[in-house]
Amino acid sequence: IRVGFGPSAIAYSQALNRVYVANTYSNTVSVIDPTRIGTINNPVLGTITVPDSPVALAITTDGRSAWVTSSARPTLARIDLDSSTVTARISLPLRPAGLALSPDQSRAYVTGFGPQVAVVDTRAESVIKSVPLPACPQVRCVAMSAAVSADGKQVYIANTSINQISVLNADTNELTATRINVGQGPRAVLLGPAPRTTPSSASEVSN
């Protein structure tokens, strides 16, 4: 599927059955109809203009809005997916790299250079706090992505430059003491569902 120049992020809206791709060098988000893939029809329905090099995007749980970060002029933009228009732009205190939304959609966590993470109130459309992350010995340090726990209480951040996962307490917007050493250059974080427990005896089943 041919999209714009420099595709850097992808997300799916179940409500609209559309795939959205952020194209950094085209300053656009491509809109794709997955039902057209493999047919004679072009699956790319069109593009949404998002200025200043979009690099990350996340779609709200209702599938009707997308949040997109841009790096050339650090901003977080909201797109109304029904009208394919940008309806809000929030200035950011960091050059962004990654983006995650809280389960209730009231917070956006924008990771980026510094390294740091910006906590954004999406309803008030304002930055609550910018939280510095453990620094690296290089000149340019970056945290590439984040993921929020299902209960919205922890934010797991890929601190790419030091090969660690940092954990933010979402209630206090402070880093916890937890630092998880991982492989070299972590770029993405994904949280899976909690493991299901299997009863070990008939008595556990009956109880």
Side-chain angles (χ1 to χ4, degrees):
I1 302 171
R2 189 175 296 278
V3 292
F5 291 106
S8 59
I10 187 169
Y12 173 69
S13 167
Q14 185 173 3
L16 301 177
N17 193 24
R18 294 290 184 267
V19 177
Y20 297 88
V21 181
N23 305 303
T24 300
Y25 305 125
S26 298
N27 294 323
T28 61
V29 171
S30 296
V31 184
I32 298 171
D33 181 350
T35 66
R36 292 189 174 192
I37 297 173
T39 72
I40 62 173
N41 299 311
N42 185 356
V44 180
L45 301 180
T47 58
I48 304 167
T49 299
V50 179
D52 305 317
S53 304
V55 293
L57 79 161
I59 292 178
T60 55
T61 53
D62 66 3
R64 298 292 177 176
S65 298
W67 289 93
V68 184
T69 58
S70 294
S71 62
R73 177 183 294 179
T75 51
L76 175 65
R78 182 176 59 213
I79 300 174
D80 181 325
L81 297 180
D82 289 310
S83 63
S84 295
T85 56
V86 175
T87 58
R89 284 173 65 85
I90 305 167
S91 296
L92 295 172
L94 77 167
R95 183 183 172 196
L99 171 64
L101 298 176
S102 63
D104 66 358
Q105 319 297 289
S106 68
R107 298 288 184 268
Y109 298 93
V110 182
T111 64
F113 289 83
Q116 55 186 314
V117 56
V119 183
V120 180
D121 184 328
T122 57
R123 294 168 182 167
E125 298 178 4
S126 62
V127 176
I128 298 173
K129 187 176 184 180
S130 182
V131 183
L133 300 172
C136 70
Q138 293 83 16
V139 175
R140 287 164 58 91
C141 302
V142 64
M144 289 298 297
S145 66
V148 186
S149 62
D151 60 7
K153 293 185 178 297
Q154 290 87 32
V155 184
Y156 297 86
I157 303 163
N159 197 347
T160 310
S161 300
I162 62 170
N163 309 324
Q164 282 185 346
I165 301 299
S166 298
V167 182
L168 181 78
N169 183 320
D171 291 328
T172 63
N173 294 322
E174 299 286 346
L175 286 179
T176 71
T178 302
R179 296 187 186 183
I180 306 169
N181 293 317
V182 292
Q184 187 171 3
R187 298 179 64 87
V189 184
L190 179 65
L191 298 182
R196 297 179 63 182
T197 58
T198 302
S200 59
S201 67
S203 63
E204 285 189 47
V205 174
S206 62
N207 291 336

